[in-house]
PDB file of all heavy atoms in Angstrom:
ATOM      1  N   PHE A  17     108.474  77.574  74.379  1.00  0.00           N
ATOM      2  CA  PHE A  17     107.504  78.233  73.504  1.00  0.00           C
ATOM      3  C   PHE A  17     106.086  78.243  74.083  1.00  0.00           C
ATOM      4  O   PHE A  17     105.311  79.158  73.824  1.00  0.00           O
ATOM      5  CB  PHE A  17     107.497  77.565  72.119  1.00  0.00           C
ATOM      6  CG  PHE A  17     106.939  76.166  72.124  1.00  0.00           C
ATOM      7  CD1 PHE A  17     105.597  75.936  71.862  1.00  0.00           C
ATOM      8  CD2 PHE A  17     107.765  75.070  72.384  1.00  0.00           C
ATOM      9  CE1 PHE A  17     105.081  74.648  71.853  1.00  0.00           C
ATOM     10  CE2 PHE A  17     107.248  73.781  72.380  1.00  0.00           C
ATOM     11  CZ  PHE A  17     105.902  73.566  72.123  1.00  0.00           C
ATOM     12  N   ASP A  18     105.745  77.233  74.901  1.00  0.00           N
ATOM     13  CA  ASP A  18     104.415  77.183  75.502  1.00  0.00           C
ATOM     14  C   ASP A  18     104.476  77.368  77.023  1.00  0.00           C
ATOM     15  O   ASP A  18     103.571  76.977  77.747  1.00  0.00           O
ATOM     16  CB  ASP A  18     103.719  75.861  75.178  1.00  0.00           C
ATOM     17  CG  ASP A  18     104.505  74.651  75.675  1.00  0.00           C
ATOM     18  OD1 ASP A  18     105.653  74.833  76.161  1.00  0.00           O
ATOM     19  OD2 ASP A  18     103.978  73.524  75.578  1.00  0.00           O
ATOM     20  N   GLY A  19     105.566  77.964  77.498  1.00  0.00           N
ATOM     21  CA  GLY A  19     105.781  78.081  78.939  1.00  0.00           C
ATOM     22  C   GLY A  19     105.226  79.358  79.550  1.00  0.00           C
ATOM     23  O   GLY A  19     104.610  80.194  78.879  1.00  0.00           O
ATOM     24  N   THR A  20     105.455  79.476  80.858  1.00  0.00           N
ATOM     25  CA  THR A  20     105.048  80.644  81.624  1.00  0.00           C
ATOM     26  C   THR A  20     106.197  81.080  82.517  1.00  0.00           C
ATOM     27  O   THR A  20     106.759  80.272  83.256  1.00  0.00           O
ATOM     28  CB  THR A  20     103.827  80.329  82.516  1.00  0.00           C
ATOM     29  OG1 THR A  20     102.723  79.980  81.685  1.00  0.00           O
ATOM     30  CG2 THR A  20     103.453  81.537  83.365  1.00  0.00           C
ATOM     31  N   CYS A  21     106.545  82.361  82.435  1.00  0.00           N
ATOM     32  CA  CYS A  21     107.570  82.921  83.311  1.00  0.00           C
ATOM     33  C   CYS A  21     107.112  84.305  83.750  1.00  0.00           C
ATOM     34  O   CYS A  21     106.954  85.193  82.921  1.00  0.00           O
ATOM     35  CB  CYS A  21     108.921  83.001  82.603  1.00  0.00           C
ATOM     36  SG  CYS A  21     110.198  83.832  83.585  1.00  0.00           S
ATOM     37  N   ARG A  22     106.900  84.458  85.062  1.00  0.00           N
ATOM     38  CA  ARG A  22     106.483  85.749  85.594  1.00  0.00           C
ATOM     39  C   ARG A  22     107.463  86.186  86.678  1.00  0.00           C
ATOM     40  O   ARG A  22     107.693  85.457  87.646  1.00  0.00           O
ATOM     41  CB  ARG A  22     105.057  85.685  86.152  1.00  0.00           C
ATOM     42  CG  ARG A  22     104.012  85.408  85.092  1.00  0.00           C
ATOM     43  CD  ARG A  22     102.632  85.914  85.505  1.00  0.00           C
ATOM     44  NE  ARG A  22     102.134  85.303  86.709  1.00  0.00           N
ATOM     45  CZ  ARG A  22     101.420  84.170  86.734  1.00  0.00           C
ATOM     46  NH1 ARG A  22     101.146  83.519  85.610  1.00  0.00           N
ATOM     47  NH2 ARG A  22     100.983  83.668  87.880  1.00  0.00           N
ATOM     48  N   ILE A  23     108.022  87.365  86.500  1.00  0.00           N
ATOM     49  CA  ILE A  23     108.965  87.945  87.456  1.00  0.00           C
ATOM     50  C   ILE A  23     108.352  89.240  87.969  1.00  0.00           C
ATOM     51  O   ILE A  23     108.052  90.140  87.187  1.00  0.00           O
ATOM     52  CB  ILE A  23     110.333  88.198  86.808  1.00  0.00           C
ATOM     53  CG1 ILE A  23     110.932  86.869  86.307  1.00  0.00           C
ATOM     54  CG2 ILE A  23     111.277  88.878  87.784  1.00  0.00           C
ATOM     55  CD1 ILE A  23     112.241  87.031  85.559  1.00  0.00           C
ATOM     56  N   GLY A  24     108.145  89.335  89.276  1.00  0.00           N
ATOM     57  CA  GLY A  24     107.409  90.442  89.864  1.00  0.00           C
ATOM     58  C   GLY A  24     108.202  91.734  89.975  1.00  0.00           C
ATOM     59  O   GLY A  24     109.329  91.858  89.485  1.00  0.00           O
ATOM     60  N   ASP A  25     107.618  92.703  90.667  1.00  0.00           N
ATOM     61  CA  ASP A  25     108.242  94.006  90.874  1.00  0.00           C
ATOM     62  C   ASP A  25     109.418  93.904  91.853  1.00  0.00           C
ATOM     63  O   ASP A  25     109.402  93.100  92.792  1.00  0.00           O
ATOM     64  CB  ASP A  25     107.233  95.000  91.451  1.00  0.00           C
ATOM     65  CG  ASP A  25     106.045  95.244  90.533  1.00  0.00           C
ATOM     66  OD1 ASP A  25     106.186  95.037  89.303  1.00  0.00           O
ATOM     67  OD2 ASP A  25     104.975  95.642  91.031  1.00  0.00           O
ATOM     68  N   HIS A  26     110.427  94.742  91.636  1.00  0.00           N
ATOM     69  CA  HIS A  26     111.570  94.887  92.553  1.00  0.00           C
ATOM     70  C   HIS A  26     112.291  93.561  92.801  1.00  0.00           C
ATOM     71  O   HIS A  26     112.734  93.283  93.918  1.00  0.00           O
ATOM     72  CB  HIS A  26     111.107  95.487  93.884  1.00  0.00           C
ATOM     73  CG  HIS A  26     110.516  96.850  93.757  1.00  0.00           C
ATOM     74  ND1 HIS A  26     111.272  98.004  93.704  1.00  0.00           N
ATOM     75  CD2 HIS A  26     109.223  97.242  93.643  1.00  0.00           C
ATOM     76  CE1 HIS A  26     110.467  99.053  93.585  1.00  0.00           C
ATOM     77  NE2 HIS A  26     109.227  98.619  93.537  1.00  0.00           N
ATOM     78  N   VAL A  27     112.411  92.756  91.771  1.00  0.00           N
ATOM     79  CA  VAL A  27     113.165  91.500  91.872  1.00  0.00           C
ATOM     80  C   VAL A  27     114.612  91.754  91.470  1.00  0.00           C
ATOM     81  O   VAL A  27     114.877  92.325  90.409  1.00  0.00           O
ATOM     82  CB  VAL A  27     112.537  90.401  90.996  1.00  0.00           C
ATOM     83  CG1 VAL A  27     113.449  89.177  90.929  1.00  0.00           C
ATOM     84  CG2 VAL A  27     111.166  90.004  91.529  1.00  0.00           C
ATOM     85  N   TRP A  28     115.535  91.321  92.312  1.00  0.00           N
ATOM     86  CA  TRP A  28     116.975  91.475  92.038  1.00  0.00           C
ATOM     87  C   TRP A  28     117.570  90.108  91.785  1.00  0.00           C
ATOM     88  O   TRP A  28     117.476  89.209  92.635  1.00  0.00           O
ATOM     89  CB  TRP A  28     117.682  92.135  93.214  1.00  0.00           C
ATOM     90  CG  TRP A  28     119.118  92.488  92.941  1.00  0.00           C
ATOM     91  CD1 TRP A  28     119.598  93.667  92.435  1.00  0.00           C
ATOM     92  CD2 TRP A  28     120.279  91.662  93.168  1.00  0.00           C
ATOM     93  NE1 TRP A  28     120.973  93.624  92.328  1.00  0.00           N
ATOM     94  CE2 TRP A  28     121.422  92.404  92.768  1.00  0.00           C
ATOM     95  CE3 TRP A  28     120.449  90.368  93.659  1.00  0.00           C
ATOM     96  CZ2 TRP A  28     122.708  91.898  92.854  1.00  0.00           C
ATOM     97  CZ3 TRP A  28     121.745  89.856  93.736  1.00  0.00           C
ATOM     98  CH2 TRP A  28     122.860  90.626  93.346  1.00  0.00           C
ATOM     99  N   ILE A  29     118.187  89.942  90.617  1.00  0.00           N
ATOM    100  CA  ILE A  29     118.796  88.676  90.211  1.00  0.00           C
ATOM    101  C   ILE A  29     120.296  88.894  90.046  1.00  0.00           C
ATOM    102  O   ILE A  29     120.733  89.704  89.219  1.00  0.00           O
ATOM    103  CB  ILE A  29     118.167  88.165  88.900  1.00  0.00           C
ATOM    104  CG1 ILE A  29     116.688  87.838  89.118  1.00  0.00           C
ATOM    105  CG2 ILE A  29     118.928  86.953  88.380  1.00  0.00           C
ATOM    106  CD1 ILE A  29     115.923  87.555  87.840  1.00  0.00           C
ATOM    107  N   GLY A  30     121.084  88.178  90.815  1.00  0.00           N
ATOM    108  CA  GLY A  30     122.530  88.349  90.780  1.00  0.00           C
ATOM    109  C   GLY A  30     123.168  87.781  89.529  1.00  0.00           C
ATOM    110  O   GLY A  30     122.558  86.977  88.797  1.00  0.00           O
ATOM    111  N   PRO A  31     124.410  88.175  89.259  1.00  0.00           N
ATOM    112  CA  PRO A  31     125.120  87.685  88.071  1.00  0.00           C
ATOM    113  C   PRO A  31     125.273  86.172  88.066  1.00  0.00           C
ATOM    114  O   PRO A  31     125.265  85.514  89.110  1.00  0.00           O
ATOM    115  CB  PRO A  31     126.496  88.367  88.189  1.00  0.00           C
ATOM    116  CG  PRO A  31     126.277  89.531  89.094  1.00  0.00           C
ATOM    117  CD  PRO A  31     125.207  89.121  90.051  1.00  0.00           C
ATOM    118  N   HIS A  32     125.387  85.612  86.863  1.00  0.00           N
ATOM    119  CA  HIS A  32     125.669  84.188  86.646  1.00  0.00           C
ATOM    120  C   HIS A  32     124.559  83.280  87.173  1.00  0.00           C
ATOM    121  O   HIS A  32     124.809  82.123  87.518  1.00  0.00           O
ATOM    122  CB  HIS A  32     127.012  83.794  87.270  1.00  0.00           C
ATOM    123  CG  HIS A  32     128.178  84.564  86.730  1.00  0.00           C
ATOM    124  ND1 HIS A  32     128.756  84.290  85.504  1.00  0.00           N
ATOM    125  CD2 HIS A  32     128.859  85.632  87.240  1.00  0.00           C
ATOM    126  CE1 HIS A  32     129.743  85.141  85.289  1.00  0.00           C
ATOM    127  NE2 HIS A  32     129.823  85.972  86.315  1.00  0.00           N
ATOM    128  N   SER A  33     123.348  83.781  87.221  1.00  0.00           N
ATOM    129  CA  SER A  33     122.217  82.963  87.652  1.00  0.00           C
ATOM    130  C   SER A  33     121.642  82.200  86.466  1.00  0.00           C
ATOM    131  O   SER A  33     121.807  82.597  85.318  1.00  0.00           O
ATOM    132  CB  SER A  33     121.133  83.843  88.267  1.00  0.00           C
ATOM    133  OG  SER A  33     121.630  84.524  89.401  1.00  0.00           O
ATOM    134  N   TYR A  34     120.941  81.094  86.777  1.00  0.00           N
ATOM    135  CA  TYR A  34     120.300  80.302  85.727  1.00  0.00           C
ATOM    136  C   TYR A  34     118.861  79.992  86.116  1.00  0.00           C
ATOM    137  O   TYR A  34     118.587  79.593  87.248  1.00  0.00           O
ATOM    138  CB  TYR A  34     121.031  78.986  85.467  1.00  0.00           C
ATOM    139  CG  TYR A  34     120.273  78.088  84.517  1.00  0.00           C
ATOM    140  CD1 TYR A  34     120.303  78.324  83.145  1.00  0.00           C
ATOM    141  CD2 TYR A  34     119.485  77.037  84.981  1.00  0.00           C
ATOM    142  CE1 TYR A  34     119.584  77.524  82.262  1.00  0.00           C
ATOM    143  CE2 TYR A  34     118.762  76.232  84.113  1.00  0.00           C
ATOM    144  CZ  TYR A  34     118.817  76.493  82.749  1.00  0.00           C
ATOM    145  OH  TYR A  34     118.088  75.721  81.882  1.00  0.00           O
ATOM    146  N   PHE A  35     117.954  80.166  85.147  1.00  0.00           N
ATOM    147  CA  PHE A  35     116.542  79.894  85.389  1.00  0.00           C
ATOM    148  C   PHE A  35     115.996  78.959  84.318  1.00  0.00           C
ATOM    149  O   PHE A  35     116.024  79.282  83.129  1.00  0.00           O
ATOM    150  CB  PHE A  35     115.730  81.199  85.353  1.00  0.00           C
ATOM    151  CG  PHE A  35     116.071  82.146  86.458  1.00  0.00           C
ATOM    152  CD1 PHE A  35     117.083  83.079  86.298  1.00  0.00           C
ATOM    153  CD2 PHE A  35     115.387  82.112  87.661  1.00  0.00           C
ATOM    154  CE1 PHE A  35     117.412  83.950  87.321  1.00  0.00           C
ATOM    155  CE2 PHE A  35     115.705  82.981  88.689  1.00  0.00           C
ATOM    156  CZ  PHE A  35     116.718  83.906  88.518  1.00  0.00           C
ATOM    157  N   ASP A  36     115.511  77.796  84.750  1.00  0.00           N
ATOM    158  CA  ASP A  36     114.670  76.969  83.906  1.00  0.00           C
ATOM    159  C   ASP A  36     113.278  77.584  84.043  1.00  0.00           C
ATOM    160  O   ASP A  36     112.564  77.329  85.016  1.00  0.00           O
ATOM    161  CB  ASP A  36     114.702  75.526  84.400  1.00  0.00           C
ATOM    162  CG  ASP A  36     113.826  74.603  83.580  1.00  0.00           C
ATOM    163  OD1 ASP A  36     112.928  75.093  82.866  1.00  0.00           O
ATOM    164  OD2 ASP A  36     114.007  73.373  83.679  1.00  0.00           O
ATOM    165  N   ALA A  37     112.913  78.410  83.079  1.00  0.00           N
ATOM    166  CA  ALA A  37     111.715  79.255  83.203  1.00  0.00           C
ATOM    167  C   ALA A  37     110.556  78.728  82.377  1.00  0.00           C
ATOM    168  O   ALA A  37     109.766  79.498  81.835  1.00  0.00           O
ATOM    169  CB  ALA A  37     112.058  80.690  82.794  1.00  0.00           C
ATOM    170  N   ARG A  38     110.436  77.434  82.289  1.00  0.00           N
ATOM    171  CA  ARG A  38     109.328  76.851  81.534  1.00  0.00           C
ATOM    172  C   ARG A  38     107.995  76.982  82.283  1.00  0.00           C
ATOM    173  O   ARG A  38     106.945  77.046  81.675  1.00  0.00           O
ATOM    174  CB  ARG A  38     109.625  75.379  81.226  1.00  0.00           C
ATOM    175  CG  ARG A  38     110.836  75.187  80.305  1.00  0.00           C
ATOM    176  CD  ARG A  38     111.196  73.706  80.210  1.00  0.00           C
ATOM    177  NE  ARG A  38     112.228  73.456  79.218  1.00  0.00           N
ATOM    178  CZ  ARG A  38     113.541  73.445  79.483  1.00  0.00           C
ATOM    179  NH1 ARG A  38     113.965  73.674  80.709  1.00  0.00           N
ATOM    180  NH2 ARG A  38     114.417  73.199  78.533  1.00  0.00           N
ATOM    181  N   ASN A  39     108.076  77.013  83.632  1.00  0.00           N
ATOM    182  CA  ASN A  39     106.876  77.218  84.451  1.00  0.00           C
ATOM    183  C   ASN A  39     107.340  77.809  85.783  1.00  0.00           C
ATOM    184  O   ASN A  39     107.463  77.099  86.778  1.00  0.00           O
ATOM    185  CB  ASN A  39     106.126  75.904  84.654  1.00  0.00           C
ATOM    186  CG  ASN A  39     104.708  76.122  85.163  1.00  0.00           C
ATOM    187  OD1 ASN A  39     104.382  77.193  85.667  1.00  0.00           O
ATOM    188  ND2 ASN A  39     103.870  75.116  85.031  1.00  0.00           N
ATOM    189  N   LEU A  40     107.584  79.106  85.778  1.00  0.00           N
ATOM    190  CA  LEU A  40     108.272  79.763  86.893  1.00  0.00           C
ATOM    191  C   LEU A  40     107.591  81.061  87.282  1.00  0.00           C
ATOM    192  O   LEU A  40     107.206  81.856  86.424  1.00  0.00           O
ATOM    193  CB  LEU A  40     109.728  80.046  86.493  1.00  0.00           C
ATOM    194  CG  LEU A  40     110.575  80.857  87.482  1.00  0.00           C
ATOM    195  CD1 LEU A  40     110.821  80.053  88.760  1.00  0.00           C
ATOM    196  CD2 LEU A  40     111.896  81.262  86.839  1.00  0.00           C
ATOM    197  N   ILE A  41     107.456  81.263  88.605  1.00  0.00           N
ATOM    198  CA  ILE A  41     106.962  82.536  89.133  1.00  0.00           C
ATOM    199  C   ILE A  41     107.906  83.007  90.229  1.00  0.00           C
ATOM    200  O   ILE A  41     108.168  82.285  91.196  1.00  0.00           O
ATOM    201  CB  ILE A  41     105.536  82.404  89.697  1.00  0.00           C
ATOM    202  CG1 ILE A  41     104.543  82.038  88.599  1.00  0.00           C
ATOM    203  CG2 ILE A  41     105.109  83.713  90.370  1.00  0.00           C
ATOM    204  CD1 ILE A  41     103.137  81.797  89.098  1.00  0.00           C
ATOM    205  N   LEU A  42     108.415  84.232  90.075  1.00  0.00           N
ATOM    206  CA  LEU A  42     109.150  84.924  91.127  1.00  0.00           C
ATOM    207  C   LEU A  42     108.279  86.106  91.551  1.00  0.00           C
ATOM    208  O   LEU A  42     108.048  87.026  90.760  1.00  0.00           O
ATOM    209  CB  LEU A  42     110.502  85.441  90.624  1.00  0.00           C
ATOM    210  CG  LEU A  42     111.713  84.510  90.710  1.00  0.00           C
ATOM    211  CD1 LEU A  42     111.495  83.232  89.932  1.00  0.00           C
ATOM    212  CD2 LEU A  42     112.966  85.221  90.222  1.00  0.00           C
ATOM    213  N   GLU A  43     107.766  86.066  92.776  1.00  0.00           N
ATOM    214  CA  GLU A  43     106.881  87.125  93.226  1.00  0.00           C
ATOM    215  C   GLU A  43     107.680  88.384  93.586  1.00  0.00           C
ATOM    216  O   GLU A  43     108.913  88.396  93.522  1.00  0.00           O
ATOM    217  CB  GLU A  43     106.037  86.627  94.404  1.00  0.00           C
ATOM    218  CG  GLU A  43     105.103  85.478  94.004  1.00  0.00           C
ATOM    219  CD  GLU A  43     104.211  85.003  95.131  1.00  0.00           C
ATOM    220  OE1 GLU A  43     104.375  85.472  96.279  1.00  0.00           O
ATOM    221  OE2 GLU A  43     103.342  84.146  94.863  1.00  0.00           O
ATOM    222  N   ASP A  44     106.980  89.455  93.947  1.00  0.00           N
ATOM    223  CA  ASP A  44     107.611  90.757  94.197  1.00  0.00           C
ATOM    224  C   ASP A  44     108.695  90.661  95.283  1.00  0.00           C
ATOM    225  O   ASP A  44     108.593  89.882  96.230  1.00  0.00           O
ATOM    226  CB  ASP A  44     106.566  91.777  94.647  1.00  0.00           C
ATOM    227  CG  ASP A  44     105.508  92.051  93.588  1.00  0.00           C
ATOM    228  OD1 ASP A  44     105.695  91.621  92.432  1.00  0.00           O
ATOM    229  OD2 ASP A  44     104.501  92.703  93.933  1.00  0.00           O
ATOM    230  N   TYR A  45     109.720  91.496  95.127  1.00  0.00           N
ATOM    231  CA  TYR A  45     110.786  91.685  96.116  1.00  0.00           C
ATOM    232  C   TYR A  45     111.585  90.412  96.413  1.00  0.00           C
ATOM    233  O   TYR A  45     112.103  90.245  97.514  1.00  0.00           O
ATOM    234  CB  TYR A  45     110.216  92.267  97.410  1.00  0.00           C
ATOM    235  CG  TYR A  45     109.842  93.731  97.285  1.00  0.00           C
ATOM    236  CD1 TYR A  45     108.539  94.094  97.015  1.00  0.00           C
ATOM    237  CD2 TYR A  45     110.801  94.737  97.428  1.00  0.00           C
ATOM    238  CE1 TYR A  45     108.177  95.426  96.882  1.00  0.00           C
ATOM    239  CE2 TYR A  45     110.458  96.069  97.306  1.00  0.00           C
ATOM    240  CZ  TYR A  45     109.139  96.417  97.026  1.00  0.00           C
ATOM    241  OH  TYR A  45     108.793  97.745  96.894  1.00  0.00           O
ATOM    242  N   VAL A  46     111.689  89.532  95.445  1.00  0.00           N
ATOM    243  CA  VAL A  46     112.565  88.367  95.602  1.00  0.00           C
ATOM    244  C   VAL A  46     114.014  88.799  95.378  1.00  0.00           C
ATOM    245  O   VAL A  46     114.317  89.540  94.437  1.00  0.00           O
ATOM    246  CB  VAL A  46     112.175  87.247  94.622  1.00  0.00           C
ATOM    247  CG1 VAL A  46     113.280  86.188  94.520  1.00  0.00           C
ATOM    248  CG2 VAL A  46     110.868  86.595  95.051  1.00  0.00           C
ATOM    249  N   GLY A  47     114.900  88.329  96.235  1.00  0.00           N
ATOM    250  CA  GLY A  47     116.332  88.518  96.037  1.00  0.00           C
ATOM    251  C   GLY A  47     116.970  87.199  95.639  1.00  0.00           C
ATOM    252  O   GLY A  47     116.758  86.177  96.307  1.00  0.00           O
ATOM    253  N   TRP A  48     117.709  87.220  94.549  1.00  0.00           N
ATOM    254  CA  TRP A  48     118.264  85.983  93.979  1.00  0.00           C
ATOM    255  C   TRP A  48     119.788  86.109  93.939  1.00  0.00           C
ATOM    256  O   TRP A  48     120.335  86.882  93.171  1.00  0.00           O
ATOM    257  CB  TRP A  48     117.703  85.763  92.581  1.00  0.00           C
ATOM    258  CG  TRP A  48     117.931  84.390  92.040  1.00  0.00           C
ATOM    259  CD1 TRP A  48     119.013  83.975  91.320  1.00  0.00           C
ATOM    260  CD2 TRP A  48     117.073  83.255  92.191  1.00  0.00           C
ATOM    261  NE1 TRP A  48     118.879  82.642  91.007  1.00  0.00           N
ATOM    262  CE2 TRP A  48     117.691  82.177  91.531  1.00  0.00           C
ATOM    263  CE3 TRP A  48     115.844  83.049  92.813  1.00  0.00           C
ATOM    264  CZ2 TRP A  48     117.123  80.916  91.478  1.00  0.00           C
ATOM    265  CZ3 TRP A  48     115.291  81.786  92.755  1.00  0.00           C
ATOM    266  CH2 TRP A  48     115.924  80.735  92.097  1.00  0.00           C
ATOM    267  N   GLY A  49     120.476  85.343  94.766  1.00  0.00           N
ATOM    268  CA  GLY A  49     121.918  85.470  94.890  1.00  0.00           C
ATOM    269  C   GLY A  49     122.684  85.081  93.640  1.00  0.00           C
ATOM    270  O   GLY A  49     122.211  84.263  92.836  1.00  0.00           O
ATOM    271  N   PRO A  50     123.887  85.641  93.451  1.00  0.00           N
ATOM    272  CA  PRO A  50     124.708  85.312  92.289  1.00  0.00           C
ATOM    273  C   PRO A  50     124.938  83.811  92.159  1.00  0.00           C
ATOM    274  O   PRO A  50     125.222  83.118  93.140  1.00  0.00           O
ATOM    275  CB  PRO A  50     126.028  86.042  92.575  1.00  0.00           C
ATOM    276  CG  PRO A  50     125.635  87.183  93.458  1.00  0.00           C
ATOM    277  CD  PRO A  50     124.525  86.655  94.311  1.00  0.00           C
ATOM    278  N   GLY A  51     124.768  83.313  90.945  1.00  0.00           N
ATOM    279  CA  GLY A  51     125.035  81.907  90.664  1.00  0.00           C
ATOM    280  C   GLY A  51     123.954  80.937  91.100  1.00  0.00           C
ATOM    281  O   GLY A  51     124.087  79.734  90.871  1.00  0.00           O
ATOM    282  N   ALA A  52     122.878  81.431  91.706  1.00  0.00           N
ATOM    283  CA  ALA A  52     121.803  80.531  92.123  1.00  0.00           C
ATOM    284  C   ALA A  52     121.047  80.020  90.895  1.00  0.00           C
ATOM    285  O   ALA A  52     121.009  80.679  89.850  1.00  0.00           O
ATOM    286  CB  ALA A  52     120.851  81.233  93.075  1.00  0.00           C
ATOM    287  N   LYS A  53     120.430  78.855  91.043  1.00  0.00           N
ATOM    288  CA  LYS A  53     119.786  78.202  89.895  1.00  0.00           C
ATOM    289  C   LYS A  53     118.420  77.656  90.280  1.00  0.00           C
ATOM    290  O   LYS A  53     118.205  77.262  91.431  1.00  0.00           O
ATOM    291  CB  LYS A  53     120.659  77.052  89.385  1.00  0.00           C
ATOM    292  CG  LYS A  53     122.061  77.480  88.956  1.00  0.00           C
ATOM    293  CD  LYS A  53     122.932  76.274  88.688  1.00  0.00           C
ATOM    294  CE  LYS A  53     124.325  76.699  88.242  1.00  0.00           C
ATOM    295  NZ  LYS A  53     125.037  77.433  89.332  1.00  0.00           N
ATOM    296  N   VAL A  54     117.530  77.640  89.315  1.00  0.00           N
ATOM    297  CA  VAL A  54     116.262  76.952  89.496  1.00  0.00           C
ATOM    298  C   VAL A  54     116.097  75.963  88.344  1.00  0.00           C
ATOM    299  O   VAL A  54     116.307  76.292  87.182  1.00  0.00           O
ATOM    300  CB  VAL A  54     115.069  77.930  89.560  1.00  0.00           C
ATOM    301  CG1 VAL A  54     114.970  78.791  88.316  1.00  0.00           C
ATOM    302  CG2 VAL A  54     113.762  77.179  89.769  1.00  0.00           C
ATOM    303  N   LEU A  55     115.762  74.729  88.689  1.00  0.00           N
ATOM    304  CA  LEU A  55     115.501  73.692  87.696  1.00  0.00           C
ATOM    305  C   LEU A  55     114.020  73.363  87.752  1.00  0.00           C
ATOM    306  O   LEU A  55     113.525  72.899  88.790  1.00  0.00           O
ATOM    307  CB  LEU A  55     116.341  72.448  87.984  1.00  0.00           C
ATOM    308  CG  LEU A  55     117.864  72.673  88.036  1.00  0.00           C
ATOM    309  CD1 LEU A  55     118.567  71.367  88.359  1.00  0.00           C
ATOM    310  CD2 LEU A  55     118.365  73.246  86.725  1.00  0.00           C
TER     311      LEU A  55
END
């Protein structure tokens, strides 16, 4: 509820991915493979 999540332009996130997005930045043109995770 008090977090920050910013996902930039042209970001591709594969299926079955998981994001702990309480304080997360994905800058432009990031490629995120299927099933990858961020804690």
